[in-house]
Every structure is written in structure tokens, then in C-alpha cells.
Amino acid sequence: MVTSQDVARLAGVSQATVSRVLQGSARVSPETRERVLSAMKQAGYHPNAAARAMRTRRAGTIGVVVADITNPFYPQLLEAVSDELGRAGQRMTLWNATGPSEAGALEAIREGAVDGLLFTTVTEMSKPLEEALQRNEPVVLLHRGLDHIGCDQVTADNVAGGRLAARYLVRAGHERIGFLRGPQSASTALHRERGFRETLDELGHSLAPELVRPGDFSHDTARAAMRELLDRPQPPSAVFCANDLTALGAVDGAISLGVRVPEDVWVVGYDDIAMAAWEAYGLTTVRQPITDMARMAVRMLIERIEDRTLPARRREFPAELVIRRSTAHTPAS
Amino acid sequence: MVTSQDVARLAGVSQATVSRVLQGSARVSPETRERVLSAMKQAGYHPNAAARAMRTRRAGTIGVVVADITNPFYPQLLEAVSDELGRAGQRMTLWNATGPSEAGALEAIREGAVDGLLFTTVTEMSKPLEEALQRNEPVVLLHRGLDHIGCDQVTADNVAGGRLAARYLVRAGHERIGFLRGPQSASTALHRERGFRETLDELGHSLAPELVRPGDFSHDTARAAMRELLDRPQPPSAVFCANDLTALGAVDGAISLGVRVPEDVWVVGYDDIAMAAWEAYGLTTVRQPITDMARMAVRMLIERIEDRTLPARRREFPAELVIRRSTAHTPAS
């Protein structure tokens, strides 16, 4: 392996001079600097990452925590995060919070192995978040936010999205509306539910408790919950789902019972993941601009790393209803 | 921030002694060692990652390169990789090779920012792989392999998988068989195609060139290619697809034309991603044991980091045909 000693020999300078060039010191003449840089190139010298991190106090790496990488929402988010970090010359260390690895994010903050953290999955009880904020480390919350926490946050307007879904279903004439909830620790699930419930109440179509089922943003739980709803003596004529993965599970639950979507039951999702548009599902859903949100969050985090004294910023993106085949027909009822 | 100086003061020892404890030096008495460790705990001291990397020459981080994180195959692989790395106390730095970030993996190897690399996406021309092997860095190829390269590789038997698909379709009586190919730079695509073609040839049902379409393992390309095949005067009665994402696109292409799967055309995929089992698709496919392969690859990489002199090892997992609704009926022809 080529060392800074080899570079010094090749350039005919001391090793201390090579170090000064690497540190960008002003105590090196332009000629010497040029000679050292060309010796580095000639020798194929790449400064050690750990040595540079010690010198610059920067790891050159961002930590990203996702809730469940097998939920197709997160890979879409990660693709945009990865592209934006690549453009900024930053690496991405990833934690998948469903696994035993979330404790790793906490350790990485403590040790300075990452310069900042992007949490896409935050809950009230998130220990890594709590510690990162106590230490005034650069943190941006993406997708899921926390109302009472003063840190950078990039979210979509999930309350407005829930309202859109409620108005759409009531205006289409649905009387028996079902709801498949998300995990009650996620702000996205809570806000979507709040907007949905409030608007149904306002329009005089309050949710019947027996048509509401708990959920965990997983396909299998949603599929089972949908089968329960459809097996009732009076099944719902439309079901709103707290995210698209839940809605895909709901459609599959209907198919498994021979119940037709949308002829027998409408299904509405939330997120507009790529798969929602695929013909087999053709899911009506509330879109959030996943890629734009991810890019904004990365840029905010990089700014925050440069300047920790910036005031906390919040960006909220609008929600939009996208109508597809899973609701396009007029229901029989 | 707590420093090693604070720890030294609290323990009543010199900073050099604290350093020796951190290095696991034998020149520290058990009593002093105990005093320093308890002072660290009391002070909440966490050794800096860069300092430790300098000392141990270990980054504590593994680099993982995936081809396209929005292909659901890769999140399933990554979930297993992430769990296994978490258990081993290693971090995961991720590169998504479709983005502008693959060059980052090359840089990370050079700089020692990762201790080893897991390539899930290797092609003949992979520059990061070439450089990593030249430098004798710990590398494991997972999923995609390279026949002529002597390094650790964990793959599934893709030739056997292609053979299974061919035998199944011919035995079911199909005469006009179509094929949606994968990218010709991926060993998985090449091996599946080789097994499929060879067995069709042996059984006297060689592929008709007009029923073969190029592909890139993407849903949209597959959907368009399937529409082309189905628009022919004599469309195929069954189509084998080089991976599951391609098969999902093929099913959606059929739906978009009102062509029924499996009544009008059978579709067979490859991988057995979770989604293949979902009712909307119910995909017949060739299974590879994604989780087992990922775990094996991580364990091999960790062993390789411990001992670079180990002989190169290859593990090949068997392929298995999983029959579902996308082929379950007897075709009309």
C-alpha cells in the first residue's frame, strides 16, 4: 500500500509537508503543494479514511434509518436519498429498524462514525433520536415527524391526505366505509387517520367502530383484516387503508374470498408507490412526492452538518388524490 | 463531549494508560484496567470511531452494492444482510448501482472506509470489483457470480432453475413458448437462459427467435415486451421471465390487453420474491433461498476479513419450482 512516506520521497519533501498539504495548510508554497499533489497522483496515493476523519472531524457518511426495507415505500425513498447523497459525495450507512440493528445507529452517533442522521421511521420513543438531539447532532426527520420536537423535519400533509380520501368516498355515495389503520406509533398513520375521521364526522358519515381494524403497515396483517371485514354480515362498500402496502394486502384479501375490486368493494391506499399503478392492482391512492421529499431532506441535513446553529426548519409537501381502477366504477349499493 | 482526558482524570491515571487500556495492552495491571473501564462507564465515554479505526485498522463497516433497490428482490436480500451484520456488530454502507454512487464503493475500498465488500450485482466490467481484487481486499460475490474469478461466491444454481422451467412448460404441452430475457451483463440472466434454452433444445422445443425479447429486469420494459409478444398473429401460450419483476410486468402487460393469465397465457418468473405469492399475481416461479444465501455471504465475508489467506470458496444453493395460479390451469391450445 502506498503511504504518505512514499509520496514524500517521490516529491523530495518531508512527511510533515505532505501532511500539511493534506490539511490544506497555508504554510506550504504553491510550488511545493503542486509537487506533492502530482506525486500523490503518480504514486496512486489515497489518504486513509480514518486518518482523514480524525483530521477533519468528518466521517463523510450519513446514517439513514428505515422502518422496514421490504415495504416498497422505503426502497423508493432510499433510491432518491442514495442519489442525492452520491451527488454530494457522501456515503450512506443504513439501518433497517425492524431488525436487531437500530442500536447500531445510536452507537454510530456516539462514536462519530456518521456526521448526521436521517430518520424516516421515528416514533415518540426513538432512543437514537433522543440521544442525537441531546447531543445536538445533525438530524433530519423525513416522512414521519414529531410535532413537539424542534428539529428539521420534511413531511407530507398527511391530515390533508386523509381528508381527501374521506371526501372522495362520501361524495361517491358510500355509506358503509371501512378503515385499516397503521401502527399507532407512526405520525403518518395518526395524521392520516385524524384527517379521515374528522372529515367523515363533518360530513355526517362517522366511522363505525366494527369497520375499523388495527394494522402494522404489513401486507399479511392487512390481508387478514380485510377478510374479517368482508366476512361480516354487512361488509363495507369501501375501505381506506393507512398506506399502499396495507391496500395491496386488502385487495389480495378480497381476491382470496372471490370479492371483486371495485365492483363489490372499493379500496383506497396512501403513498402512491410505483406498484400502485401496476395493472394487477390499479390502486386509487393519496400521493406524496416521495422523491422530492427525500432530496429536500438530504439537502437540509447537509446544510445542518455545515451549520448546527441554523434554526429548526419544517417543510410540508401537499397531498394529492390519484384515482385508478380500484375505485373507478360506481358501487352497486 | 467526554474525552479520554476526562476518563484519565476520573480514574486517576495518565492519558497514556487510558490509551493502553483501549488498545488492550498487556502492560496495564488488572486493577488499573478495571478502574479505567469503570471510569469510562461513569463518564459516558465512547471511543471515537475514527480513532479506533486508526488504531485497529478496522472500519467496523461492510460495503454492500445492489443493482436496483426498487427491484423487490434486493430489499429482501438486504433485510437478511442487515440482520446478519447487526448480529456481528458490523455496520452496512450501501451503494445502489443504478444511481451515480457506484464510484463511491471504489473510493471506500481505496480509503479503508469499509473492511470488505459484498457485491450483489457484479458484471464482468465492474471496476470496483476489479480494484478490490487487485488489492486483495475481502470481497464476496452474492447472487451474481463470475465463473473465471477466484474469489468467495454465494450463488444459486441458475442453470438448473432454467432447466426446471423448461421441463415444466414442455411437459404441460406448450408448443409456442416465449422468453423475456434479463440484462446480458448479469450472470443470473445468462445462466437462467442457458439452462432454459438447452433443455428446450434437448426436448425438441427450441425457442423461436421471434418469441424472445430483450429486457433489463425492470417492470416497465417487461410490460412493453409482453404486449409485443401478445400482439403477434401467433402469440406464445406460455412465457418464461428471467426474474420475478419481469414476470410481474408480463402479467400486467397481459392484463392491459385483456389477455387472461393463465387461461390465455401462462407466466413463469424467477426468484420467488414475497410478492410472487400475493393473490393479485399468484406467480409460478423458480425459488432461490434468498435469506439463506444472504446470511451465508455475510458470514463468509466476516471470515475473509479475519483471514485473507483462506482459499476462495464457492457455495451454490439449489433451485426449486413453485407452482401457483399463473400457470395452474391447462392452456386452451
Side-chain angles (χ1 to χ4, degrees), chain B residues 235-263:
Chain B
S237 65
V239 176
F240 177 50
C241 304
N243 76 351
D244 277 351
L245 188 55
T246 300
L248 301 182
V251 170
D252 286 327
I255 295 174
S256 75
L257 293 174
V259 174
R260 295 164 305 163
V261 177
E263 292 83 349

Side-chain angles (χ1 to χ4, degrees), chain B residues 132-189:
Chain B
L133 293 176
Q134 272 172 9
R135 296 168 56 96
N136 192 30
E137 299 282 2
V139 168
V140 173
L141 307 188
L142 168 58
H143 178 50
R144 296 192 196 167
L146 282 179
D147 288 339
H148 60 284
I149 299 283
C151 73
D152 294 336
Q153 307 194 18
V154 178
T155 55
D157 188 344
N158 290 289
V159 175
R163 291 187 171 282
L164 284 174
R167 262 195 300 272
Y168 172 63
L169 293 178
V170 169
R171 285 186 185 159
H174 287 281
E175 301 280 345
R176 293 186 61 73
I177 295 174
F179 179 48
L180 300 185
R181 307 172 86 184
Q184 299 303 294
S185 55
S187 68
T188 47

Side-chain angles (χ1 to χ4, degrees), chain B residues 48-260:
Chain B
N48 178 273
R52 196 182 49 198
M54 288 284 284
R55 208 168 54 236
T56 61
R57 297 179 176 277
R58 286 284 166 82
T61 302
I62 300 297
V64 179
V65 183
V66 298
D68 172 10
I69 198 172
T70 66
N71 171 356
F73 174 83
Y74 287 106
Q76 277 188 242
L77 200 73
L78 279 178
E79 183 177 53
V81 166
S82 162
D83 285 357
E84 195 69 26
L85 285 175
R87 271 189 285 273
Q90 296 285 313
R91 298 193 180 103
M92 172 170 76
T93 296
L94 180 69
W95 288 275
N96 186 32
T98 49
S101 51
E102 202 188 17
L106 181 57
E107 203 178 270
I109 304 165
R110 287 180 185 148
E111 296 183 358
V114 295
D115 297 326
L117 284 173
L118 203 59
F119 282 94
T120 68
T121 172
V122 79
T123 60
E124 299 288 333
M125 312 80 84
S126 169
K127 236 184 115 58
L129 173 68
E130 197 184 322
E131 176 150 348
L133 293 176
Q134 272 172 9
R135 296 168 56 96
N136 192 30
E137 299 282 2
V139 168
V140 173
L141 307 188
L142 168 58
H143 178 50
R144 296 192 196 167
L146 282 179
D147 288 339
H148 60 284
I149 299 283
C151 73
D152 294 336
Q153 307 194 18
V154 178
T155 55
D157 188 344
N158 290 289
V159 175
R163 291 187 171 282
L164 284 174
R167 262 195 300 272
Y168 172 63
L169 293 178
V170 169
R171 285 186 185 159
H174 287 281
E175 301 280 345
R176 293 186 61 73
I177 295 174
F179 179 48
L180 300 185
R181 307 172 86 184
Q184 299 303 294
S185 55
S187 68
T188 47
L190 296 177
H191 291 172
R192 291 165 192 180
E193 179 166 347
R194 188 200 305 161
F196 189 64
R197 279 187 186 275
E198 283 177 1
T199 299
L200 288 183
D201 287 347
E202 285 160 22
L203 299 174
H205 284 67
S206 300
L207 272 176
E210 68 272 18
L211 296 184
V212 176
R213 283 286 179 284
D216 55 7
F217 282 164
S218 86
H219 177 274
D220 292 356
T221 301
R223 182 180 175 281
M226 185 68 164
R227 288 169 57 97
E228 280 173 35
L229 288 184
L230 294 176
D231 265 342
R232 295 185 59 81
Q234 292 197 291
S237 65
V239 176
F240 177 50
C241 304
N243 76 351
D244 277 351
L245 188 55
T246 300
L248 301 182
V251 170
D252 286 327
I255 295 174
S256 75
L257 293 174
V259 174
R260 295 164 305 163

Side-chain angles (χ1 to χ4, degrees), chain B residues 268-295:
Chain B
V268 175
Y270 204 113
D271 281 339
D272 198 28
I273 59 176
M275 209 167 298
W278 294 0
E279 270 90 355
Y281 290 103
L283 203 62
T284 292
T285 187
V286 181
R287 175 181 294 164
Q288 47 174 339
I290 303 176
T291 303
D292 293 344
M293 289 166 61
R295 287 189 183 144

Side-chain angles (χ1 to χ4, degrees), chain A residues 2 7 10-11 33-47:
Chain A
V2 182
V7 173
L10 199 63
R33 185 185 171 70
E34 204 40 60
R35 206 157 71 234
V36 170
L37 289 176
S38 92
M40 280 179 188
K41 206 168 164 185
Q42 197 187 326
Y45 174 72
H46 302 284

